[in-house]
Amino acid sequence: MLRLRGNAVLEHWLARIVIRFAWHLTSLTWVMIAILLLTVGTVRVDPTMAILGIFGVGFLVAGVFDMFISRGQHIGWPLLAATGTCLLAARSVAPPIYVVFY
């Protein structure tokens, strides 16, 4: 798709970077899900804290990376970074849930 020429949208460098970034963001999301399942399945950890921490770090890293790669011109980077920041903030104030493991 990125090799196609003649499309006015794909001629712009930012559109090409955003498409490539979106592809890798999907892969990052699957990796975060895998880490979450591995963590919850093998470590005695509060699932809520694991979800908030893993996805908070993932979205914050994605937002900062998007800011650098798009030179701050992509509208998505503040939203991704804000999502990650809010998830990490929620993790810091959420009460721990005590899970009983048998």
Side-chain angles (χ1 to χ4, degrees):
M1 184 167 97
L2 293 176
R3 292 183 185 163
L4 295 175
R5 296 292 185 212
N7 184 335
V9 173
L10 290 178
E11 290 294 329
H12 195 268
W13 68 272
L14 182 60
R16 298 168 71 79
I17 287 176
V18 168
I19 289 171
R20 185 169 280 134
F21 175 74
W23 178 268
H24 292 300
L25 182 61
T26 305
S27 300
L28 174 66
T29 304
W30 285 110
V31 168
M32 289 188 297
I33 291 170
I35 292 170
L36 175 66
L37 292 173
L38 182 66
T39 302
V40 171
T42 59
V43 179
R44 290 185 176 202
V45 65
D46 179 9
T48 303
M49 294 298 163
I51 291 168
L52 293 174
I54 291 167
F55 281 91
V57 169
F59 277 99
L60 186 60
V61 167
V64 171
F65 182 76
D66 188 19
M67 178 186 67
F68 283 116
I69 202 74
S70 70
R71 300 179 200 145
Q73 294 183 12
H74 182 234
I75 193 170
W77 79 262
L79 300 173
L80 290 168
T83 301
T85 303
C86 288
L87 288 170
L88 291 174
R91 185 179 191 277
S92 68
V93 298
I97 298 172
Y98 298 101
V99 180
V100 177
F101 293 95
Y102 295 101

